[in-house]
Amino acid sequence: MQGSSQARSSSSTTLNLSTRRPGGPSLCLAREPPVVHQTWAIDGGSIVFAIRTDKPLPATAFATVGEVVASLEHLAETLAPPPRGAATGPRRRSREQMTVTSRKRPPMPWSIHFFQRDESDDAVRSVPAIEFLDSIPAKVAAEIHAVLDAVAAAPPPSFSGGGKREAMHDDMAGYFEVRVQGGGMNHRLFCVLERDAEDLGGSSIVCIDGLSKPPRTAAHPRDYRRVKRYGAEFQKRRTVLE
């Protein structure tokens, strides 16, 4: 079974949502690399969700993308391959089984927390990420919050972030950054992912710190050292803003 639903416009944005068999022809005709691309294996094929555009996704799109990804996660679970050893061929399910499947909910969204320094490290118990967000234009801060909300709703790692959420590498491995432009500057919010963290109430995104820098320039090493120092404090103290 193979089908597709595609939306194309003169703005060169393509939304590709399709089911196809492995090795089958690609149904997306856009040439731009995908800014959002997720694949889920299903029984006899796969579900592919991709957005291709040569322009950054607007902040207003991220919440909707998160909802779409969550719905597709639910669909993929419904169409998942049978467990190994299960009987093959046509399967007949009882009304009770179909009702249980239809009620199965998509993955729960992750919580968002902001690291707060412990009193033993900082007498005023500052919250570096909040201080950063308060220092940048309100419109930029709102866009960062929108990206965070979308990533948490997907939840990670299902949602790649459309170029505005990037995993870091080398000395900063283990962090991801929310990347937003505004006011002639590039703004970065650095976060860590805490899966199944009981002390945080479950899987969570923890915002550590941020920085702003001119376009096409590298961040100063001292900024990265500060982020890593705060990250180490968080791992030691496990303190977040209540």
Side-chain angles (χ1 to χ4, degrees):
M1 175 177 179
Q2 179 175 321
S4 69
S5 174
Q6 299 182 346
R8 303 196 63 179
S9 69
S10 59
S11 64
S12 76
T13 301
T14 299
L15 176 64
N16 176 33
L17 173 58
S18 63
T19 59
R20 61 183 178 84
R21 295 185 177 276
S26 172
L27 299 179
C28 184
L29 303 180
R31 296 181 178 180
E32 295 82 4
V35 295
V36 177
H37 186 276
Q38 297 294 328
T39 302
W40 296 265
I42 61 174
D43 193 9
S46 62
I47 299 173
V48 179
F49 171 54
I51 299 176
R52 296 175 181 264
T53 176
D54 57 3
K55 300 183 182 300
L57 292 178
T60 52
F62 280 88
T64 302
V65 170
E67 293 172 359
V68 171
V69 170
S71 296
L72 290 176
E73 290 276 5
H74 184 197
L75 177 62
E77 290 176 359
T78 303
L79 302 178
R84 289 186 177 182
T88 58
R91 291 173 292 170
R92 301 182 64 180
R93 296 186 296 174
S94 67
R95 182 182 300 273
E96 181 180 356
Q97 288 175 316
M98 289 188 286
T99 301
V100 170
T101 299
S102 65
R103 291 177 179 174
K104 194 170 185 179
R105 295 180 179 179
M108 290 294 292
W110 287 30
S111 299
I112 300 173
H113 294 286
F114 292 85
F115 159 65
Q116 182 173 31
R117 302 192 71 190
D118 188 80
E119 188 175 18
S120 59
D121 299 313
D122 180 3
V124 299
R125 302 209 63 201
S126 60
V127 184
I130 293 293
E131 293 180 355
F132 163 69
L133 292 170
D134 287 344
S135 72
I136 60 179
K139 182 178 179 180
V140 175
E143 186 171 357
I144 289 175
H145 278 292
V147 176
L148 278 175
D149 288 342
V151 174
S158 296
F159 181 50
S160 61
K164 294 191 177 183
R165 180 264 196 187
E166 297 289 341
M168 303 189 72
H169 307 283
D170 301 325
D171 290 344
M172 294 297 291
Y175 292 85
F176 80 84
E177 58 180 351
V178 176
R179 306 158 59 96
V180 172
Q181 294 179 323
M185 299 285 283
N186 290 341
H187 307 278
R188 305 287 186 261
L189 180 68
F190 301 96
C191 310
V192 294
L193 302 179
E194 293 286 326
R195 186 181 298 275
D196 299 327
E198 293 185 5
D199 56 338
L200 300 175
S203 298
S204 301
I205 298 171
V206 181
C207 305
I208 302 296
D209 194 11
L211 64 83
S212 300
K213 64 186 184 68
R216 296 179 296 280
T217 63
H220 197 284
R222 67 169 174 267
D223 292 321
Y224 287 141
R225 288 196 296 268
R226 184 186 69 250
V227 173
K228 292 173 66 178
R229 185 175 72 251
Y230 289 157
E233 281 186 24
F234 164 70
Q235 294 299 340
K236 180 180 180 181
R237 309 292 188 187
R238 306 293 291 183
T239 50
V240 295
L241 183 66
E242 298 294 338

